[in-house]
């Protein structure tokens, strides 16, 4: 089912207060100064990848489009802002009519990125663009971190399916976003029903240790589950003695038993023993699913084990040690006046400590070598060189305030498979290293 981002089955609430107060106070000051309507360009980028990572993964784009569409100040919100004295009456009046009317370009969801990549470009008046900073960053930083971890895990899994099962390890709403991002990054299913309902992600799940402990004997628990769910179910076999549980499971379900799940112990050793036991019992098609605090390194260590699927929770929803991508939202160009025809002037932050930015409205393209493998991320301003014209990465997402690029979630998932495959082979190595391709800047004359 491909329902993702195509008329969601649940309503998205207003996102107008998913923001920091300084965005509204900047708006008030700009309105008073007469600069609020100056045409402006903001860009989302990261100055560096998380330590040791070779590439990043764009995720959350569809949620950003929802957030921009639903960025509305209702009467209750305006009353809150007024009662707290956060902004004045003139600003409240302006906010009451707020609708983003600008343009947004960005890397399509599922694409990979590198330091300096202009992942999202938001254009419009300063006033309408500045308000979107926090909600855009909160979505992209979280979702891209999860997708990057998922991508590493799916690569380490070598084609074996991955189950997202981290809902109990994070905020209940973050869990839904995490399942969505994991699917983009290569996971096949989720245990989270809200994610299945909202985004059409396939859902799975059978039983926990509590179900076995509920019954007087393990055999009774297995019989109850098979009677209710069929022989193709997955039986959890590590509540007591694994070998005895596997024997009982096959006796109860027969050789048609769908799968057994192992959630503890030396997974490499136990998986080999269970596979041998299943084969000896005639259950040669019964699959083995392993769980238990897996990350990409643990998954890679099981590459030689007879494992058919992995279930991952905590490490996935926390970005496998990197829960954010450190993306920023910076003004890179603005007009000299509120006149719509006024040319754009590049602007950039210049400071010490590695927090500088590069001014100018940017494009990005990925240069390939003679074998079609990516060799550089090229970022520039002004005219795009002819040889890179058909390799540009940014696509139009919003035009004149209207979303023009909604797509099924499966499209982002498939795009990521292709994007990762076009990177050098070292991109999928789990050893720490620099970005797999460099970012090159072409400082051409800035256009408007």
């Amino acid at each position: 089912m491909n329902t993702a981002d195509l008329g969601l089955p649940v309503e998205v609430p207003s996102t107008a207060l998913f923001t920091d107060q300084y965005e509204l106070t900047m708006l008030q000051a700009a309105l008073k100064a007469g600069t609020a309507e100056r045409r402006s360009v903001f860009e989302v980028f990261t100055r560096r990848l998380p330590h040791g990572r070779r590439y990043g993964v764009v995720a959350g784009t569809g949620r950003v489009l929802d957030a921009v569409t639903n960025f509305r100040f209702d009467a209750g919100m305006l009353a809150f802002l007024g009662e707290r004295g956060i902004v004045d009456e003139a600003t409240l009046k302006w906010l009451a009519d707020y609708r983003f009317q600008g343009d947004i370009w960005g890397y399509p969801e599922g694409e990979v990125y590198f330091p300096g990549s202009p992942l999202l470009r938001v254009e419009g008046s300063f006033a309408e663009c500045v308000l979107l900073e926090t909600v855009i960053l909160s979505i992209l930083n979280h979702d891209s971190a999860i997708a990057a971890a998922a991508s590493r895990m799916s690569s380490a899994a070598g084609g074996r399916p991955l189950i997202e099962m981290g809902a109990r390890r994070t905020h209940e709403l973050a869990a839904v976003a995490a399942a969505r991002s994991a699917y983009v990054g290569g996971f096949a299913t989720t245990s989270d029903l809200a994610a299945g309902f909202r985004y059409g992600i396939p859902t799975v799940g059978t039983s926990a240790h509590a179900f076995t402990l509920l019954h007087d004997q393990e055999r009774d628990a297995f019989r109850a589950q098979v009677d209710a769910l069929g022989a193709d179910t997955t039986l959890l076999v590590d509540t007591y003695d694994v070998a005895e549980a596997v024997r009982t499971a096959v006796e109860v379900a027969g050789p048609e038993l769908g799968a057994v799940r192992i959630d503890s112990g030396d997974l490499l050793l136990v998986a080999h023993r269970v596979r041998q036991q299943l084969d000896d019992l005639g259950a040669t098609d019964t699959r083995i699913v392993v769980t238990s605090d897996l990350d990409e390194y643990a998954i890679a260590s099981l590459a030689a084990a007879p494992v058919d699927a992995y279930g991952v929770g905590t490490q996935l929803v926390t970005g496998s040690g990197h829960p954010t991508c450190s993306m920023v939202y910076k003004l890179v160009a603005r007009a000299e006046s509120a006149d719509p025809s006024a040319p754009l002037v590049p602007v950039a932050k210049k400071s010490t400590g590695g927090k500088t930015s590069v001014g100018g409205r940017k494009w990005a393209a990925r240069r390939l070598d003679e074998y079609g493998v990516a060799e550089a991320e090229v970022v520039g301003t002004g005219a795009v060189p002819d040889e890179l014209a058909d390799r540009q990465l940014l696509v139009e997402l919003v035009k004149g305030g209207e979303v023009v690029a909604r797509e099924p979630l499966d499209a982002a998932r498939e795009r990521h498979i292709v994007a990762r495959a076009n990177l050098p082979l070292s991109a999928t190595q789990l050893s720490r290293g620099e970005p797999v391709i460099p970012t090159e800047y072409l400082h051409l004359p800035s256009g408007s």
Side-chain angles (χ1 to χ4, degrees):
M1 185 168 76
N2 286 331
T3 60
D5 304 320
L6 297 175
L8 302 179
V10 290
E11 281 191 28
V12 178
S14 170
T15 52
L17 292 186
F18 293 169
T19 188
D20 291 306
Q21 181 170 314
Y22 81 161
E23 291 168 16
L24 299 187
T25 53
M26 281 192 287
L27 169 65
Q28 177 175 312
L31 289 170
K32 285 183 175 294
T35 54
E37 295 305 316
R38 287 188 176 185
R39 189 159 59 105
S40 300
V41 180
F42 285 81
E43 288 177 352
V44 175
F45 63 93
T46 184
R47 296 182 176 94
R48 62 192 66 85
L49 297 178
H51 181 62
R53 293 284 173 90
R54 299 298 186 88
Y55 61 93
V57 181
V58 179
T61 307
R63 296 208 310 119
V64 166
L65 298 180
D66 289 338
V68 172
T69 300
N70 291 279
F71 203 94
R72 306 281 189 270
F73 291 86
D74 61 29
M77 294 175 177
L78 295 170
F80 163 77
L81 296 173
E83 290 165 3
R84 295 290 183 95
I86 293 172
V87 291
D88 60 18
E89 285 298 323
T91 305
L92 290 173
K93 184 177 180 180
W94 190 93
L95 291 173
D97 296 325
Y98 179 85
R99 301 289 187 275
F100 180 74
Q101 299 297 319
D103 302 328
I104 300 178
W105 290 69
Y107 280 39
E109 193 158 19
E111 183 58 84
V112 296
Y113 71 87
F114 300 92
S117 298
L119 304 178
L120 203 71
R121 192 174 71 217
V122 183
E123 304 183 33
S125 70
F126 175 84
E128 63 181 335
C129 295
V130 73
L131 295 183
L132 299 176
E133 175 184 2
T134 300
V135 70
I136 286 176
L137 288 179
S138 66
I139 293 171
L140 292 181
N141 268 313
H142 173 269
D143 289 24
S144 297
I146 306 304
S151 178
R152 285 164 60 86
M153 292 173 188
S154 66
S155 177
R160 296 170 178 174
L162 291 153
I163 307 162
E164 186 283 314
M165 48 196 306
R168 64 193 59 198
R169 303 301 188 204
T170 188
H171 184 280
E172 66 272 18
L173 297 182
V176 181
R180 183 186 185 281
S181 299
Y183 191 68
V184 171
F187 274 57
T189 54
T190 179
S191 66
D192 191 280
L193 290 177
F197 176 68
R198 183 177 174 82
Y199 297 116
I201 302 170
T203 59
V204 295
T206 50
S207 68
H209 294 101
F211 186 75
T212 301
L213 296 170
L214 170 68
H215 294 79
D216 296 335
Q217 297 184 45
E218 192 169 45
R219 178 181 297 273
D220 297 336
F222 288 174
R223 170 56 61 194
Q225 185 174 328
V226 170
D227 287 347
L229 303 178
D232 194 41
T233 190
T234 299
L235 296 176
L236 182 59
V237 295
D238 72 331
T239 306
Y240 305 117
D241 178 82
V242 173
E244 180 62 29
V246 171
R247 183 162 43 252
T248 302
V250 176
E251 288 177 1
V252 169
E256 297 78 24
L257 174 63
V260 295
R261 178 162 75 94
I262 306 166
D263 189 52
S264 59
D266 183 335
L267 297 178
L268 180 62
L269 176 62
V270 175
H272 277 287
R273 288 178 173 173
V274 168
R275 181 72 271 159
Q276 183 63 55
Q277 186 179 9
L278 286 170
D279 292 346
D280 290 345
L281 293 170
T284 55
D285 293 329
T286 298
R287 302 177 302 279
I288 296 175
V289 180
V290 297
T291 53
S292 185
D293 291 326
L294 299 178
D295 61 11
E296 59 265 49
Y297 300 101
I299 292 169
S301 73
L302 293 168
V307 172
D308 297 286
Y310 306 91
V312 189
T314 302
Q315 291 302 317
L316 174 68
V317 299
T318 56
S320 195
H322 297 289
T324 181
C325 302
S326 299
M327 294 176 185
V328 294
Y329 183 93
K330 296 298 181 184
L331 180 67
V332 297
R334 51 86 176 167
E336 295 177 324
S337 71
D339 185 340
S341 63
L344 288 174
V345 177
V347 295
K349 177 180 178 180
K350 298 187 183 301
S351 63
T352 58
K355 298 186 75 173
T356 59
S357 58
V358 179
R361 181 179 183 273
K362 299 176 197 68
W363 51 263
R366 191 160 298 144
R367 192 173 68 239
L368 308 180
D369 65 15
E370 60 184 309
Y371 303 104
V373 177
E375 64 177 10
E377 192 88 338
V378 185
V379 178
T381 57
V384 181
D386 291 342
E387 64 272 18
L388 295 175
D390 63 348
R391 299 300 308 167
Q392 294 188 71
L393 293 164
L394 279 79
V395 299
E396 192 169 31
L397 302 172
V398 177
K399 183 176 183 178
E402 297 295 326
V403 175
V404 296
R406 291 200 183 278
E407 63 180 6
L409 196 57
D410 279 341
R413 174 185 170 84
E414 291 162 8
R415 180 181 294 115
H416 178 62
I417 293 172
V418 173
R420 189 176 66 189
N422 287 337
L423 295 177
L425 288 175
S426 58
T428 58
Q429 292 178 347
L430 296 181
S431 57
R432 296 187 183 277
E434 297 300 314
V436 71
I437 61 173
T439 302
E440 299 177 0
Y441 290 95
L442 295 184
H443 295 292
L444 303 174
S446 297
S448 59

